[in-house]
Amino acid sequence: MLVDVHAHIGQLSAAAARPTRIGLYAGTCGLDAVLVSNQDAAAEPRGAANQDEVDVNEACLTACRSQSRLVPLYWVRAGQFDSQPDAMAGALATEPFAGVVFAPAANGYVADDPLLNPYLTALERTVRPALFCVTDAPAATPARVVRLAERHPRVPVILCCCGGSADTRAAMLDAVGSACKRKAADVYVDTSHADGDGIRAAVRALGAERVLFGTDALRHGDAHIPRTIALLDELRKTVPGIEFEQVAGGNAARLFGLGRPGRLRLG
């Protein structure tokens, strides 16, 4: 199974891809599943759609029903009047959301703020992972995300690089590696914005079981498809078979329950 755990759709945000474009990307690249969240929930940067949490997640479900390879993620607008932990938990219990996305820099909160504790506690009950958009912004540093994860060690937390610098990507490996060594949190990294060398370095540093393939699709527009095809081809040749299978989709299938009866059905 090949899975991209990091993609964004949207109808109102200029930076987000339309669902049909992500569906084309998935099919052309031979991906079995692409996990998507609706970027219309973002309040920043200027010009972001800043739409209601319920509305954007319903739109995400509708998009995924129309594109069989798309798997929905629930976007949390923590700190906003339209966002409540109980509402999130209810949506996870009744709809096929595979996990939850937190984007501190895009929604104006700090990644380790206590206001997130009730959301993570609810995720413990619903057995869903949390994905955090990590950036160069002080509110969304890897260290802050890992501190939150250490308060909730039963929740799988995936740090997804959202266009951060090389220093931020290095900080992700350091923070996650430290937490894993101390067995303080169940944390992972995605491969977004890393080249083959960077991905192999992550596998060496953390172990293949802590690395998930993700690309921040379609950050590179029309060039995203050939870039992803070339990257997957390179990884097949340079990462040992079992480790490649883990990184390219096995870890995602395990954490998000992909293909599990009663959880998610991929077309």
Side-chain angles (χ1 to χ4, degrees), residues 105-200:
N107 286 114
Y109 58 89
V110 177
D112 56 350
D113 193 303
L115 75 86
L116 296 182
N117 288 339
Y119 293 96
L120 273 290
T121 298
L123 287 176
E124 293 179 15
R125 298 194 302 268
T126 57
V127 196
R128 297 291 200 283
L131 298 92
F132 273 81
C133 294
V134 173
T135 71
D136 292 336
T141 63
R144 287 187 181 277
V145 176
V146 170
R147 278 199 292 271
L148 177 68
E150 290 179 354
R151 299 203 300 260
H152 303 274
R154 295 174 58 189
V155 179
V157 173
I158 300 116
L159 282 69
C160 297
C161 191
C162 295
S165 66
D167 287 344
T168 294
R169 291 193 291 276
M172 283 175 55
L173 296 186
D174 289 344
V176 169
S178 174
C180 291
K181 185 176 181 179
R182 292 180 285 108
K183 298 183 179 179
D186 190 14
V187 283
Y188 305 79
V189 300
D190 91 329
T191 64
S192 295
H193 304 282
D195 59 12
D197 288 340
I199 294 170
R200 289 186 290 274

Side-chain angles (χ1 to χ4, degrees), residues 226-239:
R227 286 172 67 113
T228 298
I229 292 173
L231 181 58
L232 285 169
D233 287 344
E234 177 186 348
L235 294 176
R236 284 190 186 94
K237 297 172 184 176
T238 60
V239 176

